[in-house]
Amino acid sequence: MMKKRKHTIIYYITVWALVAFFVVTSTSLITLQTFWGKEKIKQSFISFTKKNGIDLKIDKIEGIVPFEYKLIDVYISFEGNQIEIKKIDLRINFLPLLNNILSFKKFNAEDIYYSSITLKDTPQKSDIKDSPTQKTSWISLPLKVKFNKLKFKNLNLSVSNTMVTVDVVGKATLKKYGKEIKSKIKITRKDFKKSYAEISLKAHKETRSIQTKGFLNIASSKALAPFYNKDLDFAFDLDCHSQGSLDSYLGYFQKNINKYEKIEGGALGTIYSVLDIKEKKPLFLMNSKSVFSFDFVTFDDLSINVS
């Protein structure tokens, strides 16, 4: 009789523990759906990014938090770069959190406008020599981050005073404290959807080095505007690779170092007529197929030598 009563007590304690857990969890989730709860989450985002040198502003948070968010009118600023995003839609996987992994099942952003410091604000060489060497800060988060599905729709970039709009899809992984970063993306211009670039990147924090592999499929040279604006139209594909330091790559956008380490790489490509790009029939010039290759290396002032 005593044994049976003991089992009954354990049974009721277990039931009430589960009920209490359910009530606490439900109350917490309901609280997070309120305006007060979402404001607290927004302030947590802002506080976390500020500690990592990023200025973040969010107008509104929607969605079923804490695992599904819709961020409306987002503004990001860091090291002279400014990003405005109309909407971010993301979903977090729960189970990986138990292993200290922030895994995004999806991360979609729409209507993105990116701008950097203007050339007149960029330090000139004379200014750089007299200023201390500055290196771009590295992403260093205290947990592993995975983007299983990345999608940027309508990413607007200002290139040579021309607005270029692209779509980006892919995936990325950041190891704990940014020790290694991997990504694989596909970029397509909105106005030339048959032309695209596929880029794989691997970066290492300890050496501040980057390795890249890329494939370009250009169905019309018009897709190269504003870099190429000639009447002669042609198509080509190009396999390329490169490796070098992070600061050297970024030096082409922001010159904040006096001398840069070299970037080296190579490429192999084939030129086609625009009409023959689908059949992959190489264009013939002087009775020879238009297949080309080259190697390149940069000097400490970022000038390029091609061989």
Side-chain angles (χ1 to χ4, degrees), residues 104-115:
F104 293 96
K105 188 174 183 179
K106 70 172 181 178
F107 192 100
N108 299 343
E110 294 183 20
D111 298 325
I112 310 149
Y113 291 86
Y114 169 81
S115 60

Side-chain angles (χ1 to χ4, degrees), residues 92-271:
I92 299 172
N93 288 323
F94 171 70
L95 290 179
L97 288 173
L98 302 177
N99 293 319
N100 202 29
I101 299 173
L102 179 58
S103 176
F104 293 96
K105 188 174 183 179
K106 70 172 181 178
F107 192 100
N108 299 343
E110 294 183 20
D111 298 325
I112 310 149
Y113 291 86
Y114 169 81
S115 60
S116 184
I117 56 175
T118 59
L119 291 177
K120 66 180 181 180
D121 296 326
T122 304
Q124 302 301 313
K125 281 193 173 183
S126 59
D127 299 326
I128 296 170
K129 288 180 180 179
D130 297 329
S131 63
T133 297
Q134 297 177 352
K135 289 189 175 182
T136 304
S137 59
W138 195 274
I139 300 173
S140 185
L141 301 177
L143 74 170
K144 184 176 180 179
V145 182
K146 292 184 68 175
F147 296 90
N148 296 299
K149 189 181 289 186
L150 271 173
K151 186 176 181 180
F152 298 153
K153 185 178 180 181
N154 297 334
L155 170 57
N156 298 277
L157 307 167
S158 180
V159 182
S160 299
N161 297 320
T162 301
M163 188 61 69
V164 176
T165 304
V166 299
D167 288 339
V168 181
V169 295
K171 57 184 179 179
T173 302
L174 290 76
K175 286 191 176 181
K176 191 174 181 180
Y177 297 116
K179 291 180 179 179
E180 184 181 81
I181 301 172
K182 289 182 180 179
S183 68
K184 188 173 183 179
I185 60 173
K186 180 178 180 180
I187 304 172
T188 308
R189 282 188 62 158
K190 298 288 287 188
D191 46 353
F192 295 98
K193 293 187 177 181
K194 292 182 180 180
S195 299
Y196 61 87
E198 294 177 343
I199 302 171
S200 297
L201 179 148
K202 184 185 290 185
H204 300 274
K205 182 179 181 179
E206 186 176 353
T207 57
R208 294 182 64 83
S209 63
I210 292 181
Q211 296 172 310
T212 67
K213 289 184 179 180
F215 175 74
L216 274 70
N217 184 83
I218 305 300
S220 168
S221 59
K222 294 177 182 178
L224 300 176
F227 304 105
Y228 178 86
N229 291 300
K230 305 295 183 181
D231 293 333
L232 176 64
D233 194 11
F234 59 92
F236 70 92
D237 58 33
L238 182 73
D239 277 296
C240 54
H241 65 275
S242 69
Q243 59 184 17
S245 75
L246 168 69
D247 303 295
S248 297
Y249 282 97
L250 295 179
Y252 287 98
F253 304 96
Q254 295 180 352
K255 289 184 176 292
N256 57 0
I257 298 177
N258 185 23
K259 289 187 178 181
Y260 293 86
E261 298 177 22
K262 70 178 180 180
I263 300 173
E264 54 186 349
L268 173 65
T270 305
I271 300 176

Side-chain angles (χ1 to χ4, degrees), residues 6 18 48 56 60 103 106 115 134 176 178 211 237 266 272 289 303 305:
K6 188 176 181 181
L18 290 173
F48 178 78
L56 173 67
K60 186 166 60 173
S103 176
K106 70 172 181 178
S115 60
Q134 297 177 352
K176 191 174 181 180
Q211 296 172 310
D237 58 33
Y272 309 92
K289 286 184 178 180
S303 59
N305 179 52

